[in-house]
Amino acid sequence: MNGSLLRLILAQISIHACMTGMRMATPLLALREGYSPAAVGVLLALFALTQVFLSLPAGRYADRHGLKRPLAISVVAASLGAGLAVIFPMYPVLCLAALLSGGASGAAIIALQRHVGREAHDKVTLRKVFSWLAIGPAVSNFLGPFMAGLLIDYAGGEAASTTGFRAAFLLMALLPLSAWLWVRTVAEHASEPTPSSPRSGTAWDMLQHHGFRRLLLMNWALSSCWDVHTFVVPILGHERGLSASVIGTILGAFAIAAAAIRVLIPLLSEHLSEWKVVLGAMVCACVLFIAYPFMPGAWSMMGCSVVLGLVLGSVQPMVMSMIHQITPAHRQGEALGLRMMAINGSSVVMPVLFGSIGTVVGVSALFWAVGAIVGSAARLPWLMGQHDLKPEHLPPQPERHCD
């Protein structure tokens, strides 16, 4: 890992930790003020909702302007949202802060992913850099809530005081500013010239490419595995009489395993093939989801969770590498935006759908249904490996890949 990549990872951690800290702190404040669980659910959905609508424009903006301008706008938006919550810690402002910090985090990550992908000139380097970059969200998912929680409990003299919440929001407002300090010395890449073809400018045009459609469907199936695990494991644990701390430990083991595999991938990148890793992950996820409801107790559930974390954690670097191989350089930001829009749209819709289905058919059947979905989609990475991925070195991508 070189110094430039390290600064980009630290910038990603700074701005993403702002969002994850706000996502933990704002619902706690809303609950303390007496708002209903439904209102808290709406508040949490707003963190992902902005990214559904802004990801595609943010990707196109990054294609035109590179790294620093999108990141500067994201820093301002995230700091403004958290700063407003410091001054006005009330529910409508918390909703605005959720929209601003969620959208800022998504736009910044798209710009960073695009910039990092353009620094790679072969598949091995792509796998390495995206594996290192994928460690950032794992760190910030811990760092943001941990720091916010400490301030909420101890900064105001008593736990969950208004002063404590304001201190947490103030720290979240300062974190994005450090992201700009990390990237201000990073060299920009020259913008790719945009072809004048009349078919070179629409998202629908990209979706007509077989490889890109396969990638989005594959990514959606795997993203559903993340969503259903996070959503359903607490319900399954509650049904079996497990305590909140045990359920939290099971979910934490999943997150640690997902982060650990991303540390190992750069060391093994020369021996990996993207489509083979994703194919193996989908087959393993199918088996694990079918087996999960049969796990009799906490230890067996935790073991299943760890293996599932290793399996699913290996996927994102491979998907990011494939995106940069099958899309032309001048539209890679747009492709990343489409991927993020699909993932966040799923994160908004799927928990509601999971809850409705689980109520009707039961939690076990929900696990089996998701296992069947990801298993049936396992043919997609094989098709991509046979028809869509390029040779080991990456020449400039021709425009026909988005036709």
Side-chain angles (χ1 to χ4, degrees), residues 171-322:
L171 178 61
M172 296 305 108
L174 295 176
L175 279 175
L177 300 178
S178 65
W180 178 251
L181 296 178
W182 289 117
V183 302
R184 62 189 178 87
T185 58
V186 173
E188 285 273 20
H189 297 302
S191 299
E192 291 288 333
T194 302
S196 57
S197 167
R199 300 193 60 193
S200 65
T202 66
W204 179 250
D205 175 45
M206 296 191 74
L207 293 173
Q208 290 181 319
H209 176 228
H210 293 300
F212 193 73
R213 282 205 309 273
R214 288 171 185 145
L215 188 145
L216 283 184
L217 288 172
M218 179 182 74
N219 203 184
W220 170 79
L222 290 163
S223 176
S224 296
C225 292
W226 283 81
D227 289 336
V228 77
H229 183 264
T230 303
F231 181 79
V232 179
V233 165
I235 300 174
L236 185 65
H238 178 73
E239 286 183 354
R240 296 183 176 181
L242 301 180
S243 67
S245 60
V246 171
I247 294 171
T249 302
I250 293 171
L251 293 174
F254 173 86
I256 291 171
I261 193 65
R262 291 173 180 177
V263 176
L264 294 177
I265 286 176
L267 306 178
L268 305 172
S269 56
E270 294 184 9
H271 309 288
L272 301 175
S273 175
E274 292 91 348
W275 72 269
K276 291 179 181 178
V277 172
V278 177
L279 175 60
M282 297 182 86
V283 172
C284 291
C286 173
V287 173
L288 288 166
F289 270 88
I290 292 173
Y292 214 117
F294 296 107
M295 297 298 106
W299 284 108
S300 57
M301 288 176 64
M302 186 176 299
C304 203
S305 185
V306 168
V307 178
L308 190 62
L310 293 171
V311 166
L312 296 179
S314 67
V315 169
Q316 187 193 13
M318 303 299 135
V319 170
M320 302 305 299
S321 175
M322 286 191 280

Side-chain angles (χ1 to χ4, degrees), residues 317-373:
M318 303 299 135
V319 170
M320 302 305 299
S321 175
M322 286 191 280
I323 283 180
H324 281 77
Q325 291 175 56
I326 67 174
T327 54
H330 71 281
R331 301 189 71 182
Q332 286 171 351
E334 185 177 1
L336 292 168
L338 276 171
R339 171 186 171 270
M340 184 168 286
M341 182 175 68
I343 290 175
N344 282 283
S346 176
S347 295
V348 171
V349 173
M350 295 308 282
V352 178
L353 183 61
F354 292 153
S356 302
I357 295 175
T359 300
V360 175
V361 300
V363 173
S364 296
L366 185 55
F367 270 108
W368 298 330
V370 173
I373 290 172

Side-chain angles (χ1 to χ4, degrees), residues 2 6 11 40 46 90 104 125 189 230-231 285 313 330 343 367 382:
N2 57 37
L6 178 59
V40 172
L46 294 178
M90 56 188 68
T125 309
H189 297 302
T230 303
F231 181 79
H330 71 281
I343 290 175
F367 270 108
W382 182 84

